[in-house]
Amino acid sequence: MQMQGTEVSPGVGMGSIFLYAPRTVCLETVERCAADSAQQLEAYLDARQRAAAQLSALRDSLQGREAQAKIFEAHLELLEDEEMEGEIRDRIEDGTHAAWAVQEVFSFYSDLLAQTEDELIRQRAADLQDVKDRLLRILLQVEQPDLSHFSEPVILAARELSPSDTASLDTAHVAGIATEQGGTTSHMAVLARSLGIPAVLGIHGLTETVHHGEPAVLDAGASLLLTGALEELRPDYERRRAAFEVKARQTALFAQRPGSTADGVAVAIGANLGSDRAEDLTAALNAEFVGLFRSEFLYMQSDHLPTEEEQLAAYRRVLTAFVPRPVTVRTLDIGGDKELPYLPMDREENPFLGLRALRLCLARPDLFRTQLRALLRASCYGSLNIMFPMVSGLEEFRRARAMLEEVREELLREGCAVGDVGVGVMIETPSLALLADHVAAEADFASLGTNDLCQYLTAADRGNPAVTQYYQSFHPALFRLVGQVARSFTRAGKPLSVCGELASDPAAAPVLVGLGLRKLSMSSACAPAVKEALADKTLAQMEALADAVCNASTAGQAQALAQG
Ligand code: PEP
Ligand code: MG
């Protein structure tokens, strides 16, 4: 049997299937009304206490695995949320069974979060579900299979893994993970990648098809799960697994080396950051600069507009961690596919073409000024660059820069210290890319946001699965445009980097260098493979490759050339 899904973590895993079917907690047999509310309240408080004890024990057992421990820390916070607890108590006091009260209150909030298009916020909905299930299992005494101890290698097959399942996995024995659901940024995918466990998501009908205990091979590179009579295939997969591991070890050697072509031309490799969590900062410490700090996480994690002081603390933390290396903070990029539950916005027919990012900030100067004040106050703690996203013409850049200057004057009048700050722009709209000579004359630096640039250039919504085939990141038109921007910046002697996903693709990175780029910024996990790819070719080879890619007639041809 051969089943196809989507790879989220590469490699080859072999073992027997562990079919994980967590028992769903069903309230159908529980009466919603309860006669004795005092007893129900006691049951709820007891369950809450036991859930807290379980979560603390799980957190403490994960010392040295910060990211996973954080999941349980977050669950403890949700469990102890006073507003939800108050609502649950009110319902119980009105005669509702404790299990129903928990079910209704947690579901209300998780449904609210699950409706947003933003994957990070949806992830919070999964956390709420997870805490709810834990409480219900305790209240209704439902046992759960244990994923924390296996005695032999297993391929874990599940409909979906909750954040708790993921964090408590016996990672020494889980040789692969296959699920029906889950996203590329789910806890499961992130954990699998960080631990090097091969993982494939989105396998339709998986849990109805595989059998517990049968032998299986997870070939993540081919996005395949194979089960059944595998004896003939086994030696081949053993060889591929060994080769993959050797290759992964070789690639890992590049983590601490500086980026360079085979003939010694330096290419600075930077980090993209989407949080100020200690483990993310630590993972990025080999980076020569932070090319993109996505400040919107501060807004998305919060239930209110983050105050100046809250923002200052986060920017200061990141700047201090990287000093003296420069950190480029992108101002708020909300709108498009990202919404804030506490910031109502008018519905738009085409949100990606709407009041997004800098456009929203210019329309809401109150909100923008708070961020600019926090950034300028933080500038004394390191080397700060401020970058404006989603700019389609120079007027917007000038308005934003003028506001920044006003805020600087205001702070100086108040007696606040303000450091020197580079002011730049993301080039992610075709209109701005085509004006790169003017941008290079006015801005201190720029960074190419190829994720959006590709979407606006190909007129294909980056989040719409129906048009994925048209969203072609190897489109020769995109490389031509990038080359044109690079030439303008080289002529002007101004720094230009790429912080879109293209920079982190080992096939595309040499093309970008061939086009003139000398700074690439990416998520830290991708840096070793990119450095390895750069070390494999001379600059002249990359320039010839870039020429060929720009002269290709289709994205398919360009990609084939780049992949060699
Ligand atoms: C981009 O558009 O390339 C980019 C880096 O920004 P984001 O993916 O956050 O829109
Ligand atoms: Mg963008």
Side-chain angles (χ1 to χ4, degrees), residues 166-230:
T166 303
S168 53
L169 278 191
D170 172 0
T171 51
H173 288 103
V174 175
I177 300 173
T179 64
E180 293 179 12
Q181 291 164 12
T184 48
T185 59
S186 61
H187 286 312
M188 191 282 262
V190 173
L191 174 89
R193 278 195 294 272
S194 71
L195 293 171
I197 301 176
V200 175
L201 305 178
I203 304 180
H204 296 297
L206 168 72
T207 52
E208 277 99 58
T209 316
V210 296
H211 303 287
H212 189 80
E214 70 177 326
V217 171
L218 189 75
D219 181 357
S223 301
L224 283 180
L225 175 69
L226 302 138
T227 58
L230 298 169

Side-chain angles (χ1 to χ4, degrees), residues 335-408:
D337 59 344
K338 300 187 199 115
E339 289 170 16
L340 297 176
Y342 53 84
L343 185 74
M345 285 163 59
D346 290 340
R347 228 192 78 75
E348 295 178 299
E349 280 297 321
N350 293 298
F352 270 121
L353 304 180
L355 200 61
R356 180 186 165 191
L358 185 64
R359 296 172 178 183
L360 175 70
C361 288
L362 291 174
R364 287 286 310 265
D366 52 328
L367 189 153
F368 195 31
R369 290 174 79 90
T370 305
Q371 182 170 39
L372 296 177
R373 279 181 65 94
L375 282 168
L376 286 179
R377 284 177 62 197
S379 63
C380 302
Y381 297 97
S383 170
L384 174 67
N385 291 316
I386 297 177
M387 176 161 77
F388 304 123
M390 182 70 186
V391 175
S392 46
L394 278 160
E395 300 93 331
E396 296 136 63
F397 175 67
R398 289 176 192 158
R399 278 178 66 196
R401 187 172 213 166
M403 279 181 73
L404 184 69
E405 287 317 310
E406 278 169 33
V407 169
R408 183 199 303 276

Side-chain angles (χ1 to χ4, degrees), residues 148-161:
S148 63
H149 297 287
F150 296 108
S151 52
E152 52 163 23
V154 294
I155 303 290
L156 191 59
R159 196 178 297 280
E160 187 172 24
L161 291 180

Side-chain angles (χ1 to χ4, degrees), residues 328-561:
T328 298
V329 179
R330 171 173 82 183
T331 58
L332 182 59
D333 186 353
I334 220 78
D337 59 344
K338 300 187 199 115
E339 289 170 16
L340 297 176
Y342 53 84
L343 185 74
M345 285 163 59
D346 290 340
R347 228 192 78 75
E348 295 178 299
E349 280 297 321
N350 293 298
F352 270 121
L353 304 180
L355 200 61
R356 180 186 165 191
L358 185 64
R359 296 172 178 183
L360 175 70
C361 288
L362 291 174
R364 287 286 310 265
D366 52 328
L367 189 153
F368 195 31
R369 290 174 79 90
T370 305
Q371 182 170 39
L372 296 177
R373 279 181 65 94
L375 282 168
L376 286 179
R377 284 177 62 197
S379 63
C380 302
Y381 297 97
S383 170
L384 174 67
N385 291 316
I386 297 177
M387 176 161 77
F388 304 123
M390 182 70 186
V391 175
S392 46
L394 278 160
E395 300 93 331
E396 296 136 63
F397 175 67
R398 289 176 192 158
R399 278 178 66 196
R401 187 172 213 166
M403 279 181 73
L404 184 69
E405 287 317 310
E406 278 169 33
V407 169
R408 183 199 303 276
E409 294 296 319
E410 183 180 274
L411 285 170
L412 292 174
R413 277 199 304 277
E414 290 170 19
C416 288
V418 177
D420 279 338
V421 173
V423 185
V425 69
M426 283 195 80
I427 299 188
E428 50 186 350
T429 60
S431 54
L432 201 69
L434 288 163
L435 292 184
D437 51 340
H438 291 292
V439 181
E442 292 196 24
D444 297 332
F445 70 93
S447 189
L448 280 152
T450 48
N451 305 342
D452 276 313
L453 190 55
C454 181
Q455 116 165 310
Y456 296 127
L457 194 63
T458 59
D461 182 340
R462 60 193 265 191
N464 180 349
V467 295
T468 319
Q469 60 172 315
Y470 302 104
Y471 180 93
Q472 297 174 322
S473 48
F474 277 82
H475 203 297
L478 181 61
F479 286 107
R480 286 186 184 196
L481 196 53
V482 168
Q484 196 174 320
V485 174
R487 282 190 291 280
S488 294
F489 273 76
T490 306
R491 265 197 300 274
K494 293 273 178 76
L496 174 72
S497 61
V498 177
C499 62
E501 293 302 307
L502 210 51
S504 64
D505 183 325
V511 182
L512 296 172
V513 174
L515 290 170
L517 269 302
R518 296 292 179 269
K519 292 178 81 180
L520 304 176
S521 189
M522 61 201 69
S523 64
S524 309
C526 302
V530 167
K531 291 183 200 171
E532 187 179 26
L534 296 179
D536 190 48
K537 288 187 172 61
T538 62
L539 180 60
Q541 285 172 325
M542 293 184 198
E543 285 171 346
L545 177 65
D547 245 13
V549 163
C550 288
N551 285 314
S553 55
T554 63
Q557 194 191 353
Q559 188 161 8
L561 285 164

